[in-house]
Amino acid sequence: MTFRLGLTGSIGMGKSTTAAMFAASGLPVWDADSAVHRLYQEGGSAVAPISAICPEATSLGNVSRETLRRAIQSDPSLLPKLEAITHPLVAADRARFLAETTADIAVLDIPLLFEKSSQHEFHATLLVTAPPDLQRERVLRRPGMTEAHLQTILARQMPDAEKRQRATHIVETLDISATEAYVASLITYIRARHA
């Protein structure tokens, strides 16, 4: 049986970098954001239903995440409709990934893991975290990011302190080499405990 490790963390905490470390170690990594990108691309199964609720967000067979974000800001009632379309499709994509993997450990990168109360779907969870000042500095370096947009994102995410209470494992991403060492030791620990 494949051990399912749920990887999560708020924006700017280093989750993508940590996920890449698991992938570099040879473990299969499923990424919720990448799944959404696939669903929103031409031929993706989310394109037609999203076009039905927000036609301006689709063009040339693709969904524009930026146009969709602006539409939701001006009409918040679109968000639950969008989630009703996207969440089952993402869950199906994740189920396919797990059905196809033969690895002893699979890492599932899910930004809103605790917010959606899906921690029970995993054997363990790993929270990636960093101090608030470092988080803010990392996020504001991103192209097009503003303080206002950051605050909007943070308002939708569970406070880091609460995530820490729920997580099985926690890594602070202050230093790349220390995080790499943590990832290697966690893989060893999981294999020793769940071989």
Side-chain angles (χ1 to χ4, degrees):
M1 182 183 67
T2 299
F3 184 94
R4 298 184 305 277
L5 177 65
L7 175 66
T8 195
S10 297
I11 186 170
M13 294 297 200
K15 185 171 54 58
S16 297
T17 301
T18 306
M21 293 174 185
F22 281 106
S25 75
L27 295 186
V29 176
W30 179 85
D31 178 351
D33 285 338
S34 295
V36 171
H37 280 292
R38 288 192 298 276
L39 293 167
Y40 283 12
Q41 289 174 349
E42 187 175 359
S45 49
V47 177
I50 289 173
S51 182
I53 64 164
C54 187
E56 69 272 22
T58 56
S59 70
L60 303 175
N62 293 281
V63 174
S64 164
R65 290 178 83 150
E66 183 58 31
T67 305
L68 199 53
R69 185 175 66 79
R70 286 197 304 270
I72 291 166
Q73 282 177 333
S74 61
D75 180 7
S77 73
L78 278 174
L79 184 59
K81 295 173 188 173
L82 177 66
E83 289 177 341
I85 292 166
T86 308
H87 289 177
L89 295 173
V90 170
D93 190 90
R94 183 172 72 226
R96 267 192 306 278
F97 165 83
L98 286 170
E100 291 168 3
T101 196
T102 56
D104 58 343
I105 302 169
V107 179
L108 297 106
D109 177 346
I110 303 176
L112 300 177
L113 189 150
F114 293 123
E115 286 84 349
K116 299 299 180 187
S117 299
S118 57
Q119 58 267 29
H120 64 277
E121 299 175 23
F122 305 96
H123 295 103
T125 57
L126 171 60
L127 175 65
V128 178
T129 185
D133 290 348
L134 180 56
Q135 176 191 27
R136 184 175 177 277
E137 177 188 317
R138 287 172 176 171
V139 175
L140 291 178
R141 281 199 305 251
R142 296 181 181 187
M145 182 59 69
T146 63
E147 183 68 40
H149 188 203
L150 170 59
Q151 293 310 316
T152 300
I153 293 168
L154 291 177
R156 288 198 316 261
Q157 295 185 337
M158 182 181 292
D160 189 61
E162 193 173 337
K163 289 182 180 182
R164 285 172 178 259
Q165 293 174 351
R166 297 181 184 210
T168 316
H169 307 282
I170 300 170
V171 61
E172 279 205 328
T173 59
L174 304 175
D175 174 83
I176 290 282
S177 58
T179 305
E180 286 173 336
Y182 181 88
V183 165
S185 67
L186 181 59
I187 293 168
T188 300
Y189 172 81
I190 290 171
R191 284 183 169 145
R193 292 286 299 270
H194 300 280

